[in-house]
Structure formats: C-alpha cells, structure tokens
Amino acid sequence: MGDTRAFAELEKREWSEPDVAGAYASGFSKASDMVVPHLVAAVDAGPDTDVLDLCCGHGNVSAGLVGVGARVTGLDFSAAMLELARAAVPGARFVSGDAMQLSFPDASFDAVTIGFGMPHVPEPPRVVAEVRRVLKPGGRIAFSTWCGPEVDGAFGYVFGAIGSHGSPEIVLPPGPGANDYADPDIAYPVLEAAGFGKFRCEVVASCWHVNDPGLAFDFFRDGTARGGALLRPQPDVHASAIRAAVVERVLENHGDGPEWIIPMPAVVISAQAI
Ligand SMILES: C[S@@+](CC[C@H](N)C(=O)[O-])C[C@H]1O[C@@H](n2cnc3c(N)ncnc32)[C@H](O)[C@@H]1O
C-alpha cells in the first residue's frame, strides 16, 4: 500500500473527538454491540483467561469479556473513547496505545479481540503480527468487520448514496478498504503468514432498530471516522440528497415503518496461534 500517513492522521483525529466517540457509543454501536457475544465466543474467553481487547473504543467488547469472567485489558488510541470505556466497564483495565505497535511482552495474553478495528488501522497485517507476538501459543484472535455494499445493509445504502450524490471534491486519503477483513480470501493469508491456523468465519446478522429511517445516515455522519469525514463537510444540498437517497433505500427494502430494522451485517473471523 502507498503512503497512508494522511489516513492514519484522519483516523486519530476523528476518533479523538469527544463528539464522535460519544455519538459512536450512543448510536452507531447498537449494531456492533450485537457482535460482542460472537467475538467473546470465538476466542474461547472465560474465567482465568487474560484477554487483550484492541481498538476497544467505549468498551463494549471488554464488557462482554468481563461478563464471562476474563481478565481484560482494553487498548485504544482515543482518550475520549478510553474515558467512556473506563466509566462503563470498571472491571477492565484500559490503556492508551497503538494497535500496530504494542508495548506488551511476547506471549502475555490467552486471547485477543478486535471489534471493528481492522478497517481503521493503516496497515492491518502489522496488527496481526503484533497480536501473534503477544499471544501465547494456542491462543485465539478474533476480529469483526462490517460486510461490504454487496450485502444488503446500511453500509451499502450510505456509501452508495455518497457515490451518487456526494460532492466530488470530498474524498478520503488512501487507506485499507473498509470491508477488506470481512473477506476470508484477504484475511486468511495475512493470518497464516503471521503464524495462525484453524481459521473460522461467521456471518452475524447485526442491525439497527430505529424509528427514523434517516438514522442510518445520521449514525455514519456523527459517529464514525471515515463516514464522518466524508459526510460532515458535505454542503447542505449534497448532504440532503445523500440522506434522502438513504431513506429511499430503507423504505424500499424494509417497509413503511413506523419502525425499521436496518441490517448492518458483520463477519467475525478468528484463528489460533500456532
Ligand atoms: C469502530 S470503533 C470500534 C469500537 C468497539 N471495539 C466496537 O466493537 O464497537 C474503532 C476504534 O478503534 C480505535 N482505533 C483506530 N485505530 C487505532 C489504532 N491504530 N490503535 C488503537 N486504537 C485504534 C478508535 O479510536 C476507535 O475507538
């Protein structure tokens, strides 16, 4: 991949915004919360296991791990997210750090979870290599990633609408594909090269329950880094057209309401350290 410095800066800047962190925790993450039990099960977490939760955000996966009795260390580079996580999950330890460069000794964890972190790091293979280093042999890694626009769901509605109605001047710096690590053909070779085997892949039917079909747009605009960087600067005329197109897709595919279940399907990929 080329120069990803601008992408890395955008990710750090956006997730460090307390408003973005708060909006992610109160809105967008209702879908990612549904994936938590699948991540917890995929790494066989339980009592007396030491689990590292990378890109822990506001602590939803950490909370799930604490719930099954694991000793949990959550790591994130956003102070705003860590503040939310510490308040929400007093039973876990939260530390500031970069998922691509871990400060933990070799073989110090039984399992590692990464809830929707892979799309946000400039070089996901570096994270996988670091995870392998800090995992004990036999330990498991599991990461979740949203399915791409080819699968029916809000991700496709929003990014499709940006493609059709967004201002052409607003573009993202080069970075990894947002849905790359939902694809076993991309994820498995990276895992294998880092020293993992026994791969598993599960599709999770996560979704949002909403009473306004436009919330799919609002959640991306207010509570994400990449979506927000594309949506927040849109001039009003473009923003309104994008939101209207999203609403149209929701009504077309999911009925007239007054409540909607908007799909946000995800993939959980897991593997074992050899
Ligand atoms: C989409 S949120 C995921 C939050 C939570 N794990 C979940 O499953 O809902 C992504 C998180 O990754 C963090 N993040 C992104 N890049 C990171 C990096 N290189 N190192 C540490 N944290 C990072 C962001 O600050 C943000 O909290």
Side-chain angles (χ1 to χ4, degrees), residues 19-264:
D19 286 351
V20 174
Y24 181 85
S26 64
F28 198 99
S29 81
K30 299 299 174 224
S32 72
D33 288 349
M34 292 189 187
V35 185
V36 170
H38 301 267
L39 284 166
V40 173
V43 295
D44 302 329
D48 293 325
T49 50
D50 286 302
V51 186
L52 174 63
D53 180 28
L54 288 180
C55 300
C56 65
H58 60 303
N60 54 349
V61 182
S62 298
L65 293 164
V66 168
V68 297
R71 286 183 294 270
V72 181
T73 302
L75 178 142
D76 205 285
F77 65 12
S78 159
M81 283 293 197
L82 288 170
E83 195 179 323
L84 293 172
R86 288 187 181 113
V89 196
R93 160 176 92 120
F94 290 100
V95 298
S96 178
D98 187 329
M100 293 198 302
Q101 209 171 357
L102 300 175
S103 57
F104 308 106
D106 295 1
S108 43
F109 293 98
D110 299 302
V112 178
T113 53
I114 315 174
F116 301 100
M118 296 298 254
H120 301 290
V121 292
E123 293 175 57
R126 274 183 61 187
V127 176
V128 174
E130 274 293 81
V131 170
R132 176 62 195 88
R133 183 183 67 73
V134 302
L135 266 179
K136 297 173 190 166
R140 289 194 72 83
I141 178 177
F143 49 80
S144 52
T145 311
W146 301 116
C147 296
E150 69 286 356
V151 181
D152 181 50
F155 203 97
Y157 307 162
V158 172
F159 284 91
I162 294 171
S164 306
H165 303 286
S167 161
E169 278 139 45
I170 301 172
V171 290
L172 291 174
N179 314 102
D180 283 359
Y181 279 74
D183 181 354
D185 288 343
I186 293 176
Y188 288 0
V190 171
L191 286 162
E192 192 166 16
F196 287 95
K198 296 196 177 164
F199 310 121
R200 289 188 217 145
C201 177
E202 182 190 7
V203 178
V204 181
S206 30
C207 60
W208 287 315
H209 292 252
V210 293
N211 56 13
D212 172 352
L215 279 173
F217 168 92
D218 301 345
F219 286 164
F220 272 94
R221 181 195 55 199
D222 301 338
T224 69
R226 213 187 297 228
L230 280 175
L231 291 172
R232 284 192 288 276
Q234 295 285 342
D236 285 349
V237 61
H238 290 276
S240 305
I242 296 167
R243 196 175 194 274
V246 171
V247 169
E248 198 180 310
R249 291 290 305 279
V250 173
L251 298 182
E252 238 170 53
N253 292 358
H254 307 290
D256 293 331
E259 288 179 346
W260 290 266
I261 296 175
I262 306 181
M264 270 293 279

Side-chain angles (χ1 to χ4, degrees), residues 2-14 122 172-175 229:
D3 187 348
T4 54
R5 274 175 298 185
F7 173 80
E9 279 162 23
L10 177 146
E11 287 283 333
K12 184 100 188 259
R13 185 181 65 240
E14 296 291 327
L172 291 174

